[in-house]
Each structure stands twice: as structure tokens, then as C-alpha cells.
Amino acid sequence: RRTVLKGLAAAPAAVTLFNIGKAQAAEHNLRYGHNLPLSHPLHIRAQEAADRIAKETDGKVQLQIFPSNQLGGDTDMLQQVRNGAITFFTPSSLVISTLVPVASINAVGFAFKDYEQVWAAMDGPVGDHIRDEIKKPGQIEALDVMWDNGFRQITNSGDPITDAKDMAGIKIRVPVAPLMVDMFRALDAAPAAIQFSEVYTALQTKTVDAQENPLPIISVAKLYEVQKNCAVSNHIWDGYWFIANSRQLNSLPDDLRSIVTTSLNEAGKQQRNDIKALNEGVRAELEKNGMTFNEVDTESFRAKLREAKFYSTWKEKFGEAAWGHLEGVVGQLA
Ligand code: X2X
């Protein structure tokens, strides 16, 4: 509760000149919280959408963005979007899986070969299935376009990780998601579920030795300052659902709601391109900042997961329907 009040009282991070010009009170103030620094494409594109919304609604709708966990950690923001303290939140598939378990199905180890498969699944049957589950309890819903987080890579500060056996005993931070804890336990690591807001400090103080995230996040969150190696594991793909509080979204007049959702969905499509481009370019920047990259024997990881019955366990948890949708796109898993 304290963090909510603190966050809402704070000035918006990026008040644009346009919004200052439109100083008269908006009729609809929408609040959006997320967990990433200002320099991440998710924030940049969302801010562009906010500017477009203000302009196209003649200032009637203001989308105020609270980046960088200003409103609290992911668990707090998930609660806030459910109870209407905020209108929007972008949890990753992992973060929302604490509420909607099937949402972590895209994070089954080594499910996707490339982005073509990712978007075929998430803009298709897998995404539809998850979207329905998100909506079921009646509090929140996901906008049509999912935003990208990326393929996740493992960083650490000890010896480089090149094979699954190198994971044994490694203290690794994972997002607060049962699937992630289970997957890294299956690899004989010692996973610790920690919210993103605490990751830099956890690495700096050596509470954990390792973490895993897409390269754009490793860059914007400056994790290269507290990590030495990056193993290019591509072990899972992760994305952000653009979640709305249903009551607030649907209480907007149709014309205004349409501007809001169209602006956000189109920004999401552009954000996907940004991440793709960054994935290709950011490695050189991270190397300049002292990180060393190495390839990994991904087959050793898959074999270890199979052996630990990771795939069969999670197939049962997610259910035949969801698993079938995923295999329909990526082929037989495991
Ligand atoms: O917490 C993470 O690692 C992050 C930023 O990737 C997510 O939001 C899942």
C-alpha cells in the first residue's frame, strides 16, 4: 500500500511538452505501470502511444506512465491492475503466470526456434487460449498485441556456462514464476525467485551469482556492471501482455477506447521490431562494456530437462488443449 501511494504521488516520469500545453484536466486519466527503465523500447513506444492518444482525443484521455517499478514490484502492480488502482500493467508471461498458470506455456524450455514461430503461436492459437484464461475471472483483459521481451540468455559471474552440467549448484535469480523455478531445479541449479526490481542489487551483493534475461534488458538495466559472462542459451522466449483493468477500459466511450487500444497495439507492433533489431545490435555494446559471450550446447540442456521429466510434468499442468496449440505451431516438444 505504501508503494502505491508513493508512486501515485510522484510526478509522471516523462511529461511531454504536448501534455503540458494541454494543461486543462483530461476527462479520463489512465495510469500505466511497468518494470523497465526509460531507455527500453517498451517504455519508448508506450510513451509515443501516450502522446498519440492525447493528440487524437484532443486531450480528453491522458495516459500517464509509471516506469521502473515506481509503483512497486511486479507482484504489486499485478494487484493494482486487478483492483483498478492502475488501468494498465505489462507483466511478462512469467509474471502473470502466478495468476494465470497457462500464461507461462511460451516459456517451456527451447519451445521456439525463431520469431516466426513465436508470433505464429502468440498471435494465433496459443495467444488466444491464454487471452481467454486471462479474461475468465472478469477483472482484467489483454490487448490484442503482445509486446516483446525476447529470447532469454543466461549471465553469471563465475566460470562460463557452456553445457547443462555447468548449471549444477549455480545460484540463479529467476522471475517469480513456478515454471522457471522448476526448470532451473530440473537443471540442478539453485534458483531464487526474485522480482526484477531487486535483481541488480541481488547480483551486486552476490545473493545470487547468475540471472537470465534477453539482451536488451541486460543492456538497459546495466546488468553488465555486475555480471561477467553471457551464455547464449536462448532457453526460452518471453513477452509482455498489455493488461487492462476491464472495468476502466470498458467504461471509456467507444471512440476514445478505440483510439487508446489502436495506439497501444500499433506501438506494440513497432516495439517488436525494435527488440528484434536490438537483439542483433546490442551484443557488441555489451562486449564493449566487458561482457564475454559464449555459445552453449543446447542439446545438453534439452536432454537434462527430458531426463528430469520437465516436459511431461508441465504438459500435464498446462493441459492437452494448450499443449496441443503450442505443438501445432512448433512441432513435438521434448
Ligand atoms: O523480471 C524479469 O526478468 C523481466 C524484466 O524479464 C520480466 O519482466 C520477466
Side-chain angles (χ1 to χ4, degrees):
R1 172 155 284 269
R2 209 165 44 86
T3 44
V4 181
L5 293 177
K6 196 178 71 191
L8 294 181
V15 181
T16 63
L17 286 175
F18 181 79
N19 287 338
I20 290 169
K22 295 262 172 186
Q24 80 273 23
E27 288 167 24
H28 305 275
N29 287 294
L30 312 180
R31 294 188 169 95
Y32 162 38
H34 68 74
N35 67 358
L36 296 178
L38 297 170
S39 50
H40 191 276
L42 175 135
H43 179 79
I44 294 168
R45 292 298 183 182
Q47 186 57 55
E48 286 176 9
D51 294 345
R52 177 176 166 190
I53 290 165
K55 196 166 168 196
E56 291 188 9
T57 65
D58 262 331
K60 289 197 193 105
V61 179
Q62 197 204 1
L63 178 66
Q64 193 176 348
I65 308 180
F66 298 88
S68 304
N69 292 295
Q70 282 179 11
L71 302 182
D74 287 318
T75 312
D76 301 301
M77 288 190 281
L78 192 53
Q79 189 54 34
Q80 289 159 24
V81 76
R82 289 171 75 194
N83 67 26
I86 57 178
T87 319
F88 296 110
F89 170 45
T90 39
S92 105
S93 54
L94 302 169
V95 167
I96 200 173
S97 77
T98 55
L99 185 65
V100 183
V102 77
S104 58
I105 193 166
N106 55 263
V108 165
F110 306 98
F112 298 110
K113 204 172 65 210
D114 53 30
Y115 271 110
E116 211 177 307
Q117 287 190 344
V118 165
W119 299 126
M122 305 317 287
D123 291 337
V126 178
D128 289 344
H129 184 96
I130 296 169
R131 213 177 265 101
D132 287 347
E133 293 297 315
I134 289 173
K135 209 171 173 176
K136 255 186 201 160
Q139 292 176 310
I140 56 172
E141 57 196 72
L143 300 192
D144 287 343
V145 174
M146 192 181 192
W147 296 41
D148 195 9
N149 190 358
F151 281 91
R152 298 177 79 96
Q153 322 296 354
I154 301 170
T155 66
N156 75 328
S157 53
D159 292 333
I161 293 159
T162 60
D163 185 282
K165 66 177 180 338
D166 300 329
M167 294 303 295
I170 292 230
K171 280 200 270 174
I172 183 167
R173 174 273 172 172
V174 296
V176 181
L179 175 129
M180 293 297 270
V181 173
D182 194 58
M183 190 160 80
F184 282 90
R185 276 206 190 120
L187 294 168
D188 291 337
I194 297 174
Q195 298 199 78
F196 188 63
S197 46
E198 313 296 327
V199 169
Y200 188 96
T201 309
L203 293 166
Q204 193 177 33
T205 59
K206 309 262 183 224
T207 306
V208 290
D209 301 323
Q211 70 85 44
E212 47 78 60
N213 249 305
L215 297 189
I217 287 193
I218 295 167
S219 164
V220 298
K222 299 194 183 341
L223 300 184
Y224 51 82
E225 293 177 350
V226 287
Q227 295 279 267
K228 209 166 64 193
N229 308 304
C230 181
V232 183
S233 54
N234 291 307
H235 53 284
I236 63 170
W237 175 84
D238 183 29
Y240 283 101
W241 288 105
F242 217 105
I243 296 296
N245 176 279
S246 294
R247 195 170 33 75
Q248 285 191 28
L249 182 67
N250 295 311
S251 70
L252 288 173
D254 287 351
D255 55 333
L256 299 182
R257 188 176 61 245
S258 158
I259 292 172
V260 169
T261 55
T262 303
S263 301
L264 288 170
N265 285 330
E266 290 184 10
K269 283 274 167 77
Q270 291 177 303
Q271 189 266 1
R272 291 181 182 183
N273 292 333
D274 297 340
I275 295 290
K276 199 160 179 227
L278 263 186
N279 274 329
E280 284 153 18
V282 84
R283 176 169 165 165
E285 177 226 304
L286 291 168
E287 281 171 335
K288 240 192 282 148
N289 282 309
M291 281 200 108
T292 304
F293 283 74
N294 64 269
E295 308 308 310
V296 305
D297 175 2
T298 49
E299 195 40 52
S300 70
F301 280 71
R302 288 169 190 263
K304 182 78 186 160
L305 291 176
R306 276 196 296 267
E307 194 189 303
K309 307 237 180 306
F310 171 80
Y311 292 100
S312 47
T313 304
W314 284 87
K315 177 178 179 176
E316 201 170 310
K317 288 193 198 203
F318 290 135
E320 292 283 345
W323 199 264
H325 291 317
L326 182 57
E327 287 195 330
V329 174
V330 304
Q332 207 192 325
L333 283 159

